Amino acid sequence: MKKLLLIITHYSQKNIFLDILNSNKRIQKIDLKLYKDINNIFMLDSIKNEYRKNPSFYMDSLFFNHQFSFSPLLDFCKFVYLIRKPRYIVPDLVEKKIYDYNSACSYYNFRLRKIYEMIIKTPKENQRVYFDDDFEKQDTYEDIKSYLNLKEGFKIKNAIDEPRSINSVFEICDKCYEKYRYKIKQGLR
């Protein structure tokens, strides 16, 4: 059975982090997007390696809470949690007409809570947690390389995700971000 790397983060139109991880030849990006039972994992064996020969990991990104509901996978998969500030997330949700501002803020807060709950339940050896301030550090990618036991590193792009203008709705999201950032960092010690 192939190894699965799940990137648990928030929805964003462009996700430079995923592109950087996908730059490694041993990681193949897939798009299953739903993990509700063990059959989702067995499907990995049927994926044709059109782009990569014999990848070490299949990588999928999950942006919504309903996409992951099979908690036994927490013990078997590798997880990278990327926690982004609301000013990078909420405007994208509104621009794409997925949500209005208030609903986007609710999505952000509930998503943050679900990510926190998953981090608490995931064995420490199966997870890495990063925040926005880790996003552009070379050490982050060296840590991921080591965590996944990869021989080659990643092609780091210099594209920086610019924060959007501040809206009063962000104040609520910012407080939620800071609350969970604190709780997560305390739990990782």
Side-chain angles (χ1 to χ4, degrees):
M1 186 161 54
K2 299 289 183 184
K3 294 180 186 173
L4 181 61
L5 170 64
L6 292 175
I7 310 302
I8 310 296
T9 190
H10 312 274
Y11 175 84
S12 183
Q13 284 186 46
K14 62 177 185 175
N15 200 321
I16 299 162
F17 185 74
L18 293 175
D19 293 340
I20 291 171
L21 294 185
N22 196 45
S23 72
N24 187 295
K25 290 186 262 182
R26 306 301 293 164
I27 297 175
Q28 180 174 329
K29 189 175 177 184
I30 60 171
D31 201 21
L32 290 181
K33 298 287 187 235
L34 189 62
Y35 297 88
K36 61 181 180 157
D37 59 42
I38 195 68
N39 292 327
N40 299 116
I41 300 304
F42 292 131
M43 289 174 52
L44 294 176
D45 289 329
S46 65
I47 293 175
K48 294 190 181 352
N49 298 329
E50 298 171 9
Y51 306 108
R52 311 263 160 88
K53 290 185 179 179
N54 199 23
S56 297
F57 289 92
Y58 286 120
M59 175 182 72
D60 203 354
S61 51
L62 304 181
F63 303 122
F64 297 95
N65 290 345
H66 73 276
Q67 293 176 312
F68 187 90
S69 60
F70 190 60
S71 59
L73 285 181
L74 294 170
D75 295 324
F76 300 105
C77 298
K78 296 282 190 177
F79 290 85
V80 173
Y81 296 98
L82 177 61
I83 300 159
R84 309 286 323 270
K85 291 182 180 176
R87 62 192 55 159
Y88 295 103
I89 306 305
V90 174
D92 280 354
L93 293 166
V94 174
E95 258 178 44
K96 279 282 215 178
K97 298 187 184 331
I98 296 172
Y99 296 117
D100 60 33
Y101 266 106
N102 288 330
S103 298
C105 190
S106 290
Y107 156 81
Y108 179 84
N109 293 339
F110 282 116
R111 183 66 179 146
L112 203 51
R113 180 175 155 192
K114 173 69 171 186
I115 291 171
Y116 169 73
E117 290 169 356
M118 287 180 71
I119 289 169
I120 298 304
K121 293 177 183 173
T122 306
K124 294 211 185 295
E125 65 272 9
N126 289 354
Q127 67 171 284
R128 289 294 186 271
V129 178
Y130 303 104
F131 296 90
D132 277 322
D133 47 355
D134 301 318
F135 183 56
E136 295 171 8
K137 295 178 185 172
Q138 180 68 33
D139 292 350
T140 297
Y141 300 100
E142 288 299 319
D143 183 50
I144 293 171
K145 177 184 163 189
S146 172
Y147 168 58
L148 300 176
N149 293 317
L150 299 171
K151 292 178 182 171
E152 294 180 31
F154 301 97
K155 295 175 185 164
I156 309 297
K157 299 178 180 184
N158 289 329
I160 296 173
D161 213 0
E162 293 295 326
R164 307 292 179 84
S165 62
I166 304 296
N167 182 317
S168 62
V169 174
F170 286 125
E171 289 177 26
I172 297 167
C173 293
D174 277 333
K175 286 178 184 174
C176 189
Y177 172 83
E178 292 302 329
K179 170 186 162 186
Y180 281 106
R181 179 184 169 99
Y182 175 79
K183 288 175 95 168
I184 290 166
K185 288 207 175 234
Q186 291 301 309
L188 293 174
R189 291 185 181 179

